[in-house]
Structures are given as C-alpha cells and as structure tokens.
Amino acid sequence: VGDQKIKVIRAVRELTGLGLREARDLVAAAPAVVKEAVDAEQAEQVIATLVEAGASTERRPATS
C-alpha cells in the first residue's frame, strides 16, 4: 500500500464501487486482487490509478 493508505483506499473505492469498510479491508489484506477478468486496456488504467494513489501493483497473467 505504501505511505498513502487513505489515497489508495479512495482509489480502490473508485475502481470497485466498494464501501469504505470493504475497501479498507481489501487494502489492509494486500496483496489482494482488486479487479479480475478485465481487458488489457482496463488493467493498465487500474494499475495507473493505483500507482498514482501511492500503491505498488503487480499484474497477474490471465489464466485459462
């Protein structure tokens, strides 16, 4: 999560539509999956949003 935990929680809420508690729990459980089954363009947008908020990210390869 990094030093910007509140900004990351806000970004997760924006990206997922989760409530404050759920987003906070997701961030606290990091590393965690924020979004699944998205196309490459949307994945890059999610990564950019999280990195801009102060999080570190990892893109997982698609599984069949």
Side-chain angles (χ1 to χ4, degrees):
V1 175
D3 297 332
Q4 305 294 326
K5 189 172 185 176
I6 293 172
K7 287 183 181 180
V8 174
I9 291 170
R10 287 181 185 150
V12 169
R13 288 185 70 198
E14 177 186 321
L15 291 167
T16 63
L18 293 173
L20 178 60
R21 174 167 287 195
E22 292 83 5
R24 187 182 70 208
D25 291 345
L26 181 68
V27 170
V33 175
V34 175
K35 285 215 149 206
E36 290 183 298
V38 296
D39 60 38
E41 183 177 326
Q42 187 177 9
E44 292 303 323
Q45 290 173 345
V46 169
I47 289 170
T49 300
L50 291 171
V51 168
E52 183 178 316
S56 59
T57 63
E58 178 181 304
R59 186 173 179 183
R60 294 187 180 171
T63 57
S64 300

